[in-house]
């Protein structure tokens, strides 16, 4: 059974109803019709301002293979947003399963000389040199999500607020425990791949918890997949016979985390997720599991990356800003989704 098949089965088991995964999102975006509701795009509008057609541009795109729902939504959103513009040709290359494969296909894309390239790297440090090569060849790079260490490797960085994501999770957990009168809580953390963005998330989480006098008692590293989430959650649960709260960094790996919790028959704690998947939002609204909140890290950033890449390639700025050029960096805020506000976030769930 493939990773995607296992994830779909777990979604059905844990949340009920039909499972919507990356394959569904990608299928919804293969035509030139208006993007389906499952993608997070901004319509081209009435032809005014930034949406007015400009010169034809070719936007290259590279991101890791869609091995989990969030990454699947990244691919789907980028493709759908490009299709919303009559003046954009979208040229995607296979990002593969590791940095070596991505470097190779990016090299091929650079040789084709697109006007601009949007890159979500497997690892910013490992793909940095190829991004520099593109920039030196006069092809601007829009660095999506996982940042390159060299500022010269990109024209624009657009990403979620990883540190802020941890801060949001930490404050939600800290306030909930304080309100319950818990003075010395046992807090678990299930992180993702040990890459810079994950380190930032954990740092924000620790800093926010410290303002309440709390700390993480056990931290595990998963890999943003449901299998790794289940594996690491099982070990966390075995190591901690009593838990008050858990932060799981990623809602996709959270499918496995919830499976492990169910298998262990544990429910004495509450959990906060990360990213803001539709399945997590639905579970929070249903309020029938340990999952009580999730902090956003939305793949809609891929849609915004394409829109901004188009403007850069056309030599245009943002219509509502005084400056003539698109900014150098855009960081999206991380928001906390709870039962009380979950309905407002339905359209952003992936």
């Amino acid at each position: 059974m493939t990773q995607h098949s296992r994830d779909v089965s777990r979604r059905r088991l844990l949340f009920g109803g039909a499972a919507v995964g990356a394959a569904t999102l990608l299928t919804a975006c293969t035509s030139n019709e208006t993007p389906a509701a499952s993608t997070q795009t901004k319509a081209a509008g009435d032809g005014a301002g930034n949406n007015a057609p400009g010169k034809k541009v070719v936007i290259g795109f590279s991101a890791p293979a869609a091995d989990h729902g969030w990454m699947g939504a990244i691919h789907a959103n980028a493709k759908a947003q490009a299709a919303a513009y009559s003046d954009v040709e979208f040229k995607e290359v296979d990002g593969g399963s590791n940095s070596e494969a991505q470097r190779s296909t990016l090299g091929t894309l650079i040789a084709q000389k697109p006007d601009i390239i949007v890159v979500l790297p497997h690892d910013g440090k490992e793909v940095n040199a190829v991004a520099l090569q593109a920039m030196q060849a006069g092809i601007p790079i829009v660095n999506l999500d996982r940042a390159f260490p060299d500022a010269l490797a990109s024209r624009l960085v657009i990403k979620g607020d990883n540190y802020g994501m941890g801060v949001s999770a930490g404050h939600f957990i800290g306030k909930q425990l304080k309100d319950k009168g818990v003075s010395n809580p046992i807090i678990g953390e299930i992180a993702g791949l040990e890459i810079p963005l994950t380190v930032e998330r954990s740092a924000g989480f620790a800093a926010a918890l410290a303002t309440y006098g709390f700390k993480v008692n056990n931290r595990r590293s998963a890999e943003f997949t449901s299998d790794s989430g289940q594996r690491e959650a099982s070990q966390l649960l075995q190591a901690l016979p009593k838990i008050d709260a858990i932060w799981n960094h990623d809602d996709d790996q959270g499918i496995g985390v919830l499976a492990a919790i169910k298998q262990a028959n544990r429910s004495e704690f509450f959990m906060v997720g990360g990213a803001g998947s539709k399945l997590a939002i639905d579970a929070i609204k249903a309020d029938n599991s340990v999952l009580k909140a999730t902090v956003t890290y939305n793949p809609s950033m891929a849609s915004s990356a394409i829109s901004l890449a188009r403007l850069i390639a056309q030599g245009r700025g943002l219509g509502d800003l005084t400056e003539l050029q698109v900014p150098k960096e855009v960081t999206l805020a991380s928001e906390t989704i709870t039962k009380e506000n979950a309905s407002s976030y339905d359209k952003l769930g992936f």
Side-chain angles (χ1 to χ4, degrees):
M1 179 181 283
T2 65
Q3 176 67 50
H4 175 71
S5 299
R6 287 192 291 268
D7 287 355
V8 169
S9 298
R10 288 193 175 116
R11 287 183 177 109
R12 289 179 174 142
L13 172 65
L14 294 168
F15 299 103
V20 179
T24 305
L25 288 169
L26 291 167
T27 301
C29 302
T30 55
S31 73
N32 291 322
E33 299 173 0
T34 301
S38 56
T39 57
Q40 302 147 326
T41 58
K42 188 170 180 63
D46 58 6
N50 288 149
N51 291 322
K55 73 171 184 177
K56 184 84 172 182
V57 294
V58 177
I59 299 178
F61 182 78
S62 173
D67 61 355
H68 58 287
W70 189 90
M71 194 63 75
I74 284 285
H75 284 266
N77 288 338
K79 187 173 184 179
Q81 188 63 54
Y85 297 117
S86 60
D87 52 12
V88 169
E89 178 185 344
F90 186 69
K91 186 169 289 188
E92 181 175 6
V93 295
D94 185 1
S97 59
N98 54 53
S99 294
E100 182 179 4
Q102 188 173 33
R103 288 195 299 266
S104 176
T105 55
L106 266 175
T108 301
L109 181 59
I110 291 168
Q112 296 173 12
K113 298 182 178 179
D115 295 288
I116 193 165
I117 303 175
V118 177
V119 182
L120 195 166
H122 279 276
D123 183 293
K125 184 177 180 180
E126 294 177 358
V127 184
N128 185 81
V130 182
L132 273 172
Q133 177 189 339
M135 290 286 288
Q136 291 164 358
I139 303 171
I141 292 290
V142 173
N143 183 190
L144 177 60
D145 184 39
R146 302 171 185 173
F148 297 121
D150 193 333
L152 297 178
S154 66
R155 160 63 181 81
L156 165 69
V157 179
I158 177 168
K159 60 182 181 178
D161 185 356
N162 288 290
Y163 188 87
M165 192 180 179
V167 168
S168 295
H171 279 310
F172 180 86
I173 287 175
K175 187 176 186 306
Q176 293 290 313
L177 294 174
K178 281 291 186 183
D179 288 348
K180 292 179 180 179
V182 181
S183 58
N184 190 27
I186 303 299
I187 299 173
E189 179 183 1
I190 302 176
L193 286 167
E194 288 297 341
I195 53 180
L197 67 82
T198 298
V199 175
E200 290 177 22
R201 292 177 184 183
S202 290
F205 187 50
L209 288 178
T211 66
Y212 300 89
F214 301 156
K215 65 179 182 179
V216 174
N217 298 90
N218 193 304
R219 181 183 182 276
R220 311 293 306 182
S221 295
E223 299 156 13
F224 298 135
T225 63
S226 61
D227 279 354
S228 64
Q230 184 168 11
R231 180 190 70 230
E232 297 304 325
S234 295
Q235 294 180 19
L236 179 74
L237 293 168
Q238 290 172 15
L240 300 175
K242 179 186 179 301
I243 302 173
D244 293 290
I246 293 176
W247 180 37
N248 164 57
H249 285 209
D250 181 81
D251 288 333
D252 286 322
Q253 74 185 24
I255 295 167
V257 172
L258 286 171
I261 292 168
K262 184 174 182 179
Q263 186 176 30
N265 195 28
R266 298 278 292 271
S267 62
E268 78 278 8
F269 54 85
F270 66 93
M271 186 172 87
V272 176
S277 75
K278 182 65 166 63
L279 290 167
I281 292 171
D282 287 344
I284 291 165
K285 286 194 293 186
D287 196 22
N288 57 7
S289 73
V290 297
L291 184 61
K292 302 303 179 186
T294 188
V295 290
T296 61
Y297 196 84
N298 204 279
S300 62
M301 68 178 75
S303 301
S304 298
I306 294 296
S307 295
L308 293 171
R310 168 179 171 266
L311 294 178
I312 292 170
Q314 292 176 339
R316 296 199 277 179
L318 288 172
D320 291 335
L321 297 185
T322 304
E323 291 73 24
L324 300 180
Q325 297 293 322
V326 170
K328 173 71 174 173
E329 182 171 321
V330 177
T331 302
L332 308 180
S334 182
E335 304 163 63
T336 304
I337 302 175
T338 65
K339 183 180 179 180
E340 288 70 31
N341 65 10
S343 295
S344 300
Y345 289 89
D346 276 339
K347 66 180 180 181
L348 292 178
F350 59 92

